[in-house]
Amino acid sequence: DIQMTQSPSTLSASVGDRVTITCRASQSIGRWLAWYQQKPGKAPKVLMYKATSLESGVPSRFSGSGSETEFTLTISSLQPDDFATYYCQQYNNYPTFGPGTTVDMK
Amino acid sequence: QVQLQESGPGLVKPSETLSLTCTVSGDSISRNYWTWIRQPAGKGLEWIGRIYGSGSANYNPSLRSRLTMSVDTSKNQFSLNLSSVTAADTAVYYCARGDSRAETYYKYLEYWGQGTLVTVSS
């Protein structure tokens, strides 16, 4: 299995803050990484794919970077709708997810 | 617009088989990869497995011995059977469609159902 880790597990922030979440893979996955946003009681929604590509319809304040084993998701200016849990997922091999990062209100 | 809807029993007894169906609209089941994911309450996401419209499937190694997936092209549905369930299988189960880009063997998940809670309890 390719193990995925995320940091931090919880992040407290305010509207307008720049927010960065880190995801690490236990072995190289190239750029085959996706990011999802999940709100309570809802299905996850894809934000980014292939590490840096923005899914259609997702606001441009979201961006992704990284390759091989280290990746980041950045929200340039946090909006009220962005308080949620974020998961990374590798799909270089059979897919595995990170444990999630919850962004809550400071 | 692609839409997916999970259906099946919300309560399954220990040692029995969990069976779920996902009905797809807005796309043909014969194309793309169709995936099951689960999420225990308050926990993270686990990829269960996927099936292509032809019936070819890939399973999570940790579940492979208990897992069967199938497709019904006449109904535009795909299904999950997980045998010998225990309380550890209690979770929200999601069906999803893999991305349609022919860039890599495994896929990220573009479209998701709303999820269905399955509880394993006597």
Side-chain angles (χ1 to χ4, degrees):
Chain A
D1 297 16
I2 298 176
Q3 308 299 323
M4 307 300 292
T5 59
Q6 288 182 234
S7 60
S9 55
T10 305
L11 190 161
S12 296
S14 301
V15 172
D17 283 354
R18 182 180 180 87
V19 167
T20 298
I21 300 167
T22 298
C23 174
R24 291 185 173 88
S26 61
Q27 63 190 73
S28 176
I29 58 170
R31 297 178 70 184
W32 303 117
L33 185 99
W35 289 96
Y36 300 85
Q37 177 194 67
Q38 186 179 34
K39 296 182 179 178
K42 300 293 187 182
K45 168 190 168 185
V46 63
L47 302 173
M48 312 288 306
Y49 64 95
K50 208 161 70 173
T52 61
S53 296
L54 192 69
E55 181 73 0
S56 176
V58 174
S60 59
R61 63 181 179 273
F62 291 93
S63 64
S65 65
S67 63
E68 307 300 337
T69 61
E70 187 156 334
F71 303 85
T72 60
L73 174 71
T74 298
I75 310 171
S76 60
S77 177
L78 194 69
Q79 298 302 299
D81 192 47
D82 301 337
F83 293 102
T85 299
Y86 294 85
Y87 294 94
C88 59
Q89 176 222 336
Q90 66 79 19
Y91 52 106
N92 181 66
N93 199 335
Y94 88 82
T96 49
F97 293 87
T101 295
T102 299
V103 178
D104 62 20
M105 204 173 297
K106 186 184 289 183
Chain B
Q1 175 73 340
V2 179
Q3 294 184 315
L4 300 95
Q5 178 68 57
E6 305 88 352
S7 59
L11 181 64
V12 181
K13 290 183 168 55
S15 80
E16 295 190 345
T17 296
L18 181 161
S19 296
L20 294 174
T21 296
C22 183
T23 301
V24 177
S25 58
D27 195 4
S28 170
I29 199 81
S30 299
R31 299 193 299 261
N32 292 308
Y33 283 94
W34 305 94
T35 300
W36 290 99
I37 306 99
R38 68 181 182 179
Q39 184 173 37
K43 297 189 178 180
L45 299 158
E46 180 179 31
W47 187 88
I48 298 171
R50 68 169 186 180
I51 189 163
Y52 193 68
S54 63
S56 171
N58 301 103
Y59 298 152
N60 185 322
S62 69
L63 297 170
R64 183 178 292 138
S65 63
R66 299 193 289 132
L67 194 54
T68 305
M69 293 185 182
S70 60
V71 294
D72 185 336
T73 55
S74 67
K75 295 181 180 179
N76 223 41
Q77 295 176 333
F78 64 106
S79 297
L80 162 74
N81 283 328
L82 183 66
S83 64
S84 305
V85 296
T86 69
D89 296 308
T90 294
V92 174
Y93 284 75
Y94 295 100
C95 59
R97 197 200 82 175
D99 75 88
S100 55
R101 297 171 177 82
E103 292 181 316
T104 185
Y105 184 66
Y106 287 101
K107 309 293 181 184
Y108 71 92
L109 301 165
E110 274 189 309
Y111 298 97
W112 295 66
Q114 65 186 25
T116 187
L117 175 62
V118 178
T119 301
V120 178
S121 175
S122 54

